[in-house]
């Protein structure tokens, strides 16, 4: 932006444009544009410097929380964060590593889910499947048991941060949780 401001002066010197000597609040002109470009360029440079320092400080700050060790700890922590609006369903929970290896590949969780409702009372389910965390509106499950649609949340790791997942659920679920 600062370079563009300089080019306006070059264009003025070549007489390609005329930059008036003063700015005019009633009729903005190239003088106003030149001043705006210069100021915006300085602000952008200052923002970039501040952002670089901020990102470095964030990267150097140690994380003191404890992240989940596996998908079951993740889904349990998400249920706790969602509170009474969520019901953790553990009836399909795989209890041992042998059963987990036989029944679920690495992209699927432990078999647990969280039951939720939106503001219309429509039931939803949060679960891990096919290497992603998903929100499923149960009305989208056909009579044949085939799921017609779902929402993949933007967090694919089995040990994703529970707070991030809870925020994504609240964002995606129609004003219920």
């Amino acid at each position: 932006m600062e370079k563009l401001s300089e080019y306006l002066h070059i264009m003025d010197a070549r007489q390609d444009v005329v930059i008036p000597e003063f700015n005019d609040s009633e009729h903005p002109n190239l003088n106003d544009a030149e001043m705006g470009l210069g100021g915006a360029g300085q602000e952008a440079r200052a923002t970039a410097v501040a952002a670089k320092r901020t990102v470095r400080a964030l990267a150097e700050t140690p994380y003191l929380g404890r992240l989940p060790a596996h998908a079951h700890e993740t889904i349990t922590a998400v249920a706790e964060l969602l509170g009474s609006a969520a019901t953790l369903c553990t009836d399909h929970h795989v209890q041992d590593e042998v059963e987990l290896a036989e029944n679920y590949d690495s992209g699927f969780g432990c078999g647990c889910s969280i039951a939720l409702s939106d503001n219309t009372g429509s039931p939803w389910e949060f679960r891990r499947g096919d290497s992603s965390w998903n929100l499923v509106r149960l009305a989208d499950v056909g009579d044949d048991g085939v799921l017609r649609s779902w929402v993949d949340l933007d967090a694919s790791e089995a040990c994703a941060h529970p707070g991030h997942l809870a925020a994504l659920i609240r964002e995606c679920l129609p004003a219920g949780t």
Side-chain angles (χ1 to χ4, degrees):
M1 289 184 172
E2 290 172 330
K3 283 284 191 198
L4 186 53
S5 175
E6 291 173 23
Y7 290 139
L8 282 175
H9 286 284
I10 293 169
M11 291 170 68
D12 184 47
R14 288 190 314 223
Q15 297 180 350
D16 293 336
V17 296
V18 175
I19 298 180
E21 191 171 329
F22 299 101
N23 59 351
D24 183 356
S25 59
E26 284 189 31
H27 302 88
N29 56 45
L30 283 180
N31 185 303
D32 300 304
E34 187 273 332
M35 289 175 37
L37 285 169
Q42 290 172 356
E43 285 181 37
R45 183 180 304 131
T47 300
V49 169
K52 194 174 190 177
R53 279 194 315 261
T54 302
V55 168
R56 185 174 54 247
L58 289 170
E60 292 171 355
T61 302
Y63 179 69
L64 302 176
R66 185 179 97 56
L67 289 175
H70 46 72
H72 182 69
E73 283 187 8
T74 302
I75 201 164
T76 302
V78 170
E80 288 174 13
L81 289 171
L82 294 175
S84 62
T87 303
L88 179 63
C89 306
T90 60
D91 53 338
H92 298 292
H93 179 66
V94 177
Q95 300 297 329
D96 61 41
E97 295 299 319
V98 173
E99 184 181 356
L100 183 64
E102 289 174 1
N103 296 305
Y104 296 89
D105 68 20
S106 62
F108 290 84
C110 58
C112 294
S113 62
I114 296 174
L116 305 156
S117 293
D118 63 20
N119 63 347
T120 66
S122 182
W124 289 72
E125 185 177 84
F126 170 71
R127 62 182 172 202
R128 181 154 178 82
D130 201 15
S131 297
S132 65
W133 290 101
N134 306 293
L135 259 179
V136 175
R137 191 170 70 116
L138 297 181
D140 292 338
V141 177
D143 292 337
D144 56 1
V146 175
L147 179 61
R148 304 284 183 236
S149 66
W150 61 90
V151 178
D152 278 336
L153 299 180
D154 187 24
S156 60
E157 296 297 317
C159 299
H161 194 290
H164 182 217
L165 287 170
L168 290 172
I169 290 169
R170 288 184 181 110
E171 183 180 303
C172 292
L173 197 63
T177 312

